Amino acid sequence: MITVDFSRRGGAGLCDFLCNSIRSQIRGGQLTADEKLPSKRALAAHLGVSVITVQNAYEQLIGEGYIYSIEKKGFFVTDIALDGLAEDYVISAENCLPSSAAPASANESSSTASVPLFFDFRNNATASERFPFSQWTRVMRSVLAGGDQKLLQRQTVSGIYELRLAISRYLASFRNMQVSPEQIIIGAGTESLYSMLVQFFGSTKTFAVENPGYHKIAKIFEANGAKTIPIQIDRQGIPPLLLEENQIDIVHISPSHHFPTGRVMPIRRRLELLNWAEQNPSRFIIEDDYDSEFRFAGKPLPTMQTGSTDRVIYVNTFSKTIAPSFRISYMILPPSLYQSFQKNLGFYSCPVSAFEQFTLASFIDAGLYERHLIRMKNYYRNLRNAFIYALEKSRISSSITIQEEEAGLHFLLNLKTQKTGQELKSAFLSQGLNLPLLSEFYYGRYYEEAVTGGQGSTISPPDFEPAGQAGSVSFPGARTFVINYSALEKEKIPAIVQRMEKALQ
C-alpha cells in the first residue's frame, strides 16, 4: 500500500501533494513498472482523504504518463526506467500550474461545397465578441499618454525589454519556467520565428516534423531551404529511433497537445527525446506549446523546456488566446544559443511594432491577460460541452465516438459507418458543413493509406510501443474528422447537428 506523510505537505493541496508523492515513488523505484496500484477507494480509505482527491491525482498521473489504467482491472505503473536520461526532468507539484495555447488549422485550402457553407470546422478563428476591446483600448491610451520615446525608436531583433520581462514573469507564475528576458525573442507570428531558426541553424541541417501535423510548418522550413522530413508518430509521439535513422538534427514537436490527434506525449517519450537531443551537441528540439492554455481536465503539464534548458527551443503565440490577427509570438532560446543568435541575426529589427509590444506588456503586467484567459477558458469549456452534449443526444449518437476533447479547441470525431471518409466529407458538404478529415493532415504514403483505406480500415503506424504498455487509445482511422470549434457560435449548434444527421441518413 502507498504511504504518504501529509504532515509534510506545507501549503500544498492534498491532491498536489499526493500526486507529487506517487510521482516521486515511481521515479525513485519504490513503485516498479507494471505494479498494480491500490484502487481509488482503497487508497482513499488508507490515507484518510476523499476518493475524489485520489481520483484527481490518478488522472493527473495518467495525463503525464506515469501510470496507466486498464478497464475493469485497475491502475498500473508505467515503465519509465531509461538509463542515462535527463534526471533533472522531474515533474513536481510546483510544475502543475495553469497554462496556455490553442491549435492552429492545418492546410490553408478548403473544399468547395455544393451548397453555401453554413459552418467551416477548419476555421481556427477565435470568438471575436470575446475580445476585451474596452480594456485593450484603455491600455493603448495609457501607453500613448506615457510618451515613452521607445515607441518611436527602432527595436532590436529580440523585441522591447518590457514585453520580454512581462512574458518571463508570466511563465514563472503560470508555467513554472525560469527564463531570463534575454532568452526571449519576439516575432510577428510563429512563421517569422521558424524562418529565423532555419537561417540561424543553416539550410544544411535536417528538420523533422510530425506526421500527421500542421503542414504550414514544413512549408516554412522548406521555403527557407531546409531539408524537411515528416516522421510518422506512434501512440506516444515521434519515436527517437526514426530520428536516428533519418539523421535528424532538429525536430519540431507539440508534446502538450498534438495537432491534429490531440494526444499528450507521456513522460517516457519526453525523456527519450531529451536523451536523443543530448547525445549530440548539434541536436535540438523545437517545442511548440501552442494550445497549453486550454486544458480542461487535470492540471497543465510541464514543458520539455523545464527539463532541458540547453536542448529545447520553446515557442508559443498569443494568436489563439487573444486573436489570430494578433501577430505576436515568442520563442525562448537555450542560454547556449543566445549569444550566437544575436551575433548572426542581430542585424534584424523586431517585426512587431513597439506600440503593440508596449500595450501587450502593460496588459500582462496589469493582470488583464490572466483574467482574459480565465474567461476564455470557461467560455470554450461551456461551448465544447454544449456541442458534445448535443451530439450525444442526437440521432447519430450511436454512430460517433469523440476523442481527445479535454484540451485545446478541437477534438476528433470518429464515425462508424460503411461510407468512406471522402463519401462522408461530401455528404457533410452537401449540408453546408466543411469537416476536415484527419487524413488531410498526413504527408506522403500515410496520406494515401488514410484516404484509400478499405472498409473498416485503420491507419497502422510503425509499432514503437514499449512491450506490455497499456492504456493507449486506438489510432484514429480513415473516418475520423478534426472538429475545430473555436469559431463556433452556440446558437448554431442545433442547426449544425441537424445538418449532420441529414448527411448521415
Side-chain angles (χ1 to χ4, degrees):
M1 182 63 71
I2 297 173
T3 300
V4 177
D5 184 4
F6 285 105
S7 66
R8 302 175 59 186
R9 69 185 177 96
L14 288 173
C15 180
D16 285 345
F17 190 78
L18 175 59
C19 192
N20 192 38
S21 298
I22 296 176
R23 199 185 290 117
S24 298
Q25 291 181 43
I26 293 173
R27 294 188 63 86
Q30 293 94 332
L31 297 173
T32 58
D34 299 319
E35 179 179 342
K36 191 175 188 299
L37 297 175
S39 69
K40 292 178 288 187
R41 290 187 179 279
L43 185 57
H46 173 67
L47 298 177
V49 297
S50 67
V51 174
I52 193 66
T53 296
V54 177
Q55 177 178 317
N56 290 339
Y58 275 5
E59 288 177 353
Q60 179 70 21
L61 292 168
I62 288 174
E64 294 173 4
Y66 279 97
I67 67 176
Y68 61 92
S69 64
I70 300 178
E71 189 174 358
K72 296 182 180 180
K73 290 187 178 180
F75 301 90
F76 301 84
V77 177
T78 302
D79 181 8
I80 65 167
L82 298 168
D83 294 336
L85 290 186
E87 289 301 322
D88 57 343
Y89 190 62
V90 179
I91 303 178
S92 64
E94 292 77 51
N95 294 121
C96 303
L97 297 170
S99 115
S100 79
S105 66
N107 305 331
E108 293 300 320
S109 61
S110 61
S111 301
T112 302
S114 57
V115 298
L117 203 59
F118 182 73
F119 189 77
D120 187 357
F121 283 100
R122 188 185 292 279
N123 184 3
N124 70 332
T126 54
S128 59
E129 71 277 7
R130 300 287 164 176
F131 184 80
F133 284 105
S134 59
Q135 294 177 340
W136 189 258
T137 301
R138 285 198 299 270
V139 175
M140 291 174 65
R141 289 172 177 167
S142 175
V143 170
L144 286 173
D148 195 321
Q149 290 299 312
K150 292 180 183 178
L151 287 172
L152 307 177
Q153 297 173 356
R154 170 191 176 274
Q155 300 301 320
T156 66
V157 64
S158 299
I160 67 166
Y161 180 80
E162 287 80 356
L163 177 56
R164 290 183 283 123
L165 178 60
I167 293 174
S168 175
R169 289 170 174 168
Y170 166 76
L171 293 174
S173 298
F174 296 97
R175 297 294 274 147
N176 198 35
M177 297 172 64
Q178 306 302 320
V179 299
S180 166
E182 283 71 27
Q183 295 175 246
I184 299 175
I185 308 295
I186 306 298
T190 54
E191 292 95 334
S192 68
L193 297 175
Y194 291 145
S195 297
M196 294 181 76
L197 285 175
V198 177
Q199 294 176 51
F200 173 68
F201 285 114
S203 58
T204 59
K205 299 292 185 182
T206 301
F207 287 70
V209 294
E210 297 164 313
N211 187 23
Y214 183 35
H215 289 180
K216 182 184 283 189
I217 295 169
K219 291 179 180 178
I220 293 171
F221 290 155
E222 291 173 345
N224 284 275
K227 180 180 179 182
T228 307
I229 301 177
I231 302 293
Q232 174 69 8
I233 66 171
D234 62 20
R235 293 173 179 84
Q236 297 187 11
I238 282 186
L241 179 60
L242 290 184
L243 298 180
E244 293 279 1
E245 291 178 356
N246 289 277
Q247 298 181 327
I248 300 300
D249 299 299
I250 300 159
V251 57
H252 178 282
I253 58 175
S254 48
S256 292
H257 187 241
H258 175 257
F259 184 85
T261 68
R263 291 177 178 163
V264 176
M265 184 179 291
I267 179 65
R268 181 184 177 94
R269 181 55 53 83
R270 295 178 183 226
L271 292 172
E272 289 173 340
L273 287 172
L274 289 174
N275 187 50
W276 166 83
E278 291 176 359
Q279 288 176 357
N280 189 315
S282 66
R283 293 175 178 172
F284 290 91
I285 296 170
I286 300 176
E287 179 183 11
D288 188 346
D289 205 30
Y290 69 97
D291 74 347
S292 59
E293 283 91 350
F294 298 106
R295 182 171 172 83
F296 303 119
K299 297 187 177 181
L301 303 179
T303 65
M304 290 186 69
Q305 191 273 345
T306 59
S308 180
T309 57
D310 287 331
R311 315 310 307 168
V312 178
I313 299 167
Y314 177 91
V315 178
N316 208 336
T317 179
F318 292 97
S319 295
K320 277 304 249 188
T321 54
I322 297 182
S325 61
F326 195 79
R327 308 300 296 166
I328 299 184
S329 300
Y330 63 94
M331 67 178 173
I332 300 172
L333 296 174
S336 59
L337 295 183
Y338 172 73
Q339 294 295 338
S340 55
F341 184 90
Q342 293 292 330
K343 179 180 179 181
N344 295 333
L345 299 180
F347 62 89
Y348 277 115
S349 297
C350 181
V352 182
S353 75
F355 179 51
E356 288 183 329
Q357 292 187 65
F358 274 109
T359 302
L360 179 57
S362 298
F363 194 70
I364 296 173
D365 286 338
L368 299 175
Y369 179 64
E370 176 191 349
R371 292 199 284 273
H372 173 67
L373 275 181
I374 293 173
R375 288 193 298 269
M376 294 306 294
K377 187 173 181 178
N378 290 333
Y379 170 77
Y380 284 124
R381 179 191 286 109
N382 293 333
L383 180 63
R384 176 207 61 175
N385 291 346
F387 188 29
I388 292 178
Y389 178 81
L391 288 172
E392 291 176 341
K393 296 299 179 182
S394 69
R395 296 199 302 270
I396 62 174
S397 59
S398 60
S399 301
I400 65 174
T401 302
I402 296 171
Q403 293 178 311
E404 312 302 339
E405 73 277 15
E406 297 296 354
L409 301 183
H410 78 280
F411 57 79
L412 300 183
L413 181 71
N414 185 266
L415 292 165
K416 291 171 278 188
T417 173
Q418 293 303 309
K419 293 183 179 180
T420 66
Q422 290 298 321
E423 289 172 340
L424 290 168
K425 185 176 178 69
S426 297
F428 286 130
L429 283 171
S430 71
Q431 295 297 321
L433 302 177
N434 182 25
L435 277 66
L437 281 159
L438 177 63
S439 59
E440 297 172 30
F441 299 90
Y442 277 83
Y443 301 85
R445 67 181 181 88
Y446 294 105
Y447 171 78
E448 297 301 325
E449 290 177 22
V451 172
T452 62
Q455 300 294 328
S457 68
T458 58
I459 306 162
S460 300
D463 184 11
F464 290 94
E465 297 272 335
Q469 179 68 33
S472 299
V473 294
S474 60
F475 204 81
R479 298 165 188 82
T480 300
F481 293 86
V482 180
I483 307 299
N484 190 332
Y485 60 87
S486 62
L488 180 62
E489 298 172 17
K490 197 171 183 179
E491 296 74 19
K492 283 189 173 184
I493 291 177
I496 288 174
V497 173
Q498 288 177 4
R499 289 168 183 256
M500 294 177 72
E501 290 174 335
K502 291 179 181 179
L504 295 176
Q505 283 180 348

